[in-house]
Amino acid sequence: MRTLFIGDIFGDLGVRAAQGYLSANKEMHEIDLVIANAENAAARGTGLSKSAAAALCGAGVDVITLGNHTFRNTDIYAMLKEHDHILRPANYPDGAPGRGSVVYYTRRGAVGVINVLGRLYLDACDCPFAAAEREIARLRDKTNMIVIDMHAEATSEKRALAGCFDGGCSLVAGTHTHVQTADEQILPGGTAFITDVGMTGPADGVIGIKHDAAIRRFRTLLPERFIPAEGRMQFNAVIVDIDEETGKAVGIRRVNTLTDGAAP
């Protein structure tokens, strides 16, 4: 089973970068499942819009995960109700719309996907460890191939969750910081891990935002309207090979490409 996990898709450039990469590479690399974190895929880089979701799914994304900006775009309420393959973090409090996990059926078997949100330096939410444990136990009845998107600020929290469930899932992919880390590895129990998959979107900004707006915010500490940067596009992802029989990861490699801002 070959899974492509795409790092945080940011704004229009991020959607276009994902479309371009999938068009050129999905079949060539024999990708069986595409998962993308798209909590910033709306045109302005905050939340997920219907148009962005439709474009990503049309390009070949199978499961969309979200994060701390899940409910920043009002489109999401209807999408979470209508689409099982769009996930919000499983550790949102009871009563939040949507679901935190799904079983997706591919030509090479079923894969469980779980979305959880970290608690350090982010808004309060329920325990991601307890939520992941609950969802893994529920999905195990249907598959031994399980992917977790750990959307978190702290590297320590991501690594701790991966260690906690090493051998109990196939991949723990960290998201949220928009900076790809160089620590991709397979842990002793057979779980693939990377602290942060990175960002798919504008390459010439401050984690996706125009430099001037970000600089003013840091210098003045005043509220600032963030505008997505323009120019070159980057595509960040990991490709993970999973043994269908055991659910263990047998390979993980980073993808980090850079192109101009032309349409795919």
Side-chain angles (χ1 to χ4, degrees):
M1 167 71 65
R2 179 162 290 174
T3 296
L4 175 71
F5 191 110
I6 304 173
D8 298 44
I9 295 174
F10 190 95
D12 285 340
L13 281 188
V15 173
R16 285 161 51 188
Q19 289 174 312
Y21 182 88
L22 290 171
S23 175
N25 294 280
K26 185 177 181 181
E27 290 188 9
M28 181 174 66
H29 290 305
E30 299 180 320
I31 303 297
D32 301 301
L33 174 67
V34 180
I35 305 167
N37 184 287
E39 73 146 2
N40 294 126
R44 288 288 183 179
T46 303
L48 175 65
S49 64
K50 289 183 179 179
S51 59
L56 292 171
C57 293
V61 174
D62 300 306
V63 179
I64 291 174
T65 56
L66 301 169
N68 57 302
H69 293 308
T70 292
F71 295 105
R72 292 289 296 275
N73 189 309
T74 56
D75 285 357
I76 196 62
Y77 291 90
M79 287 190 286
L80 288 174
K81 183 177 180 179
E82 296 167 6
H83 302 290
D84 290 345
H85 66 279
I86 299 178
L87 304 179
R88 49 82 170 160
N91 55 321
Y92 269 117
D94 290 343
R99 58 192 298 170
S101 69
V102 69
V103 175
Y104 192 89
Y105 294 89
T106 78
R107 60 186 179 181
R108 299 187 66 175
V111 181
V113 182
I114 300 169
N115 191 188
V116 293
L117 182 64
R119 293 198 288 189
L120 292 180
Y121 314 120
L122 290 173
D123 292 339
C125 59
D126 295 340
C127 176
F129 292 81
E133 185 173 50
R134 178 188 70 235
E135 298 300 323
I136 289 172
R138 188 172 63 83
L139 297 178
R140 275 289 178 187
D141 291 338
K142 298 179 180 179
T143 180
N144 61 359
M145 294 186 286
I146 297 174
V147 174
I148 300 177
D149 175 354
M150 173 55 163
H151 195 80
E153 185 76 38
T155 58
S156 58
E157 191 175 17
K158 298 177 190 182
R159 184 61 177 81
L161 187 128
C164 181
F165 298 108
D166 181 22
C169 61
S170 308
L171 167 66
V172 174
T175 60
H176 178 66
T177 69
H178 292 200
V179 178
Q180 189 179 73
T181 55
D183 63 338
E184 72 279 13
Q185 60 191 280
I186 297 177
L187 301 176
T191 295
F193 171 69
I194 184 169
T195 298
D196 205 286
V197 182
M199 181 190 71
T200 294
D204 298 318
V206 177
I207 61 172
I209 299 163
K210 283 189 174 182
H211 279 102
D212 290 349
I215 291 168
R216 283 196 299 270
R217 177 69 177 89
F218 284 120
R219 291 180 67 114
T220 67
L221 299 182
L222 296 175
E224 184 72 37
R225 182 183 182 186
F226 289 147
I227 301 172
E230 300 171 348
R232 298 180 301 168
M233 301 183 296
Q234 67 182 49
F235 179 88
N236 285 176
V238 289
I239 294 176
V240 180
D241 290 313
I242 303 169
D243 184 295
E244 293 94 341
E245 295 297 323
T246 65
K248 308 291 188 183
V250 295
I252 178 172
R253 66 181 179 90
R254 284 180 291 130
V255 180
N256 187 340
T257 66
L258 191 65
T259 63
D260 63 28

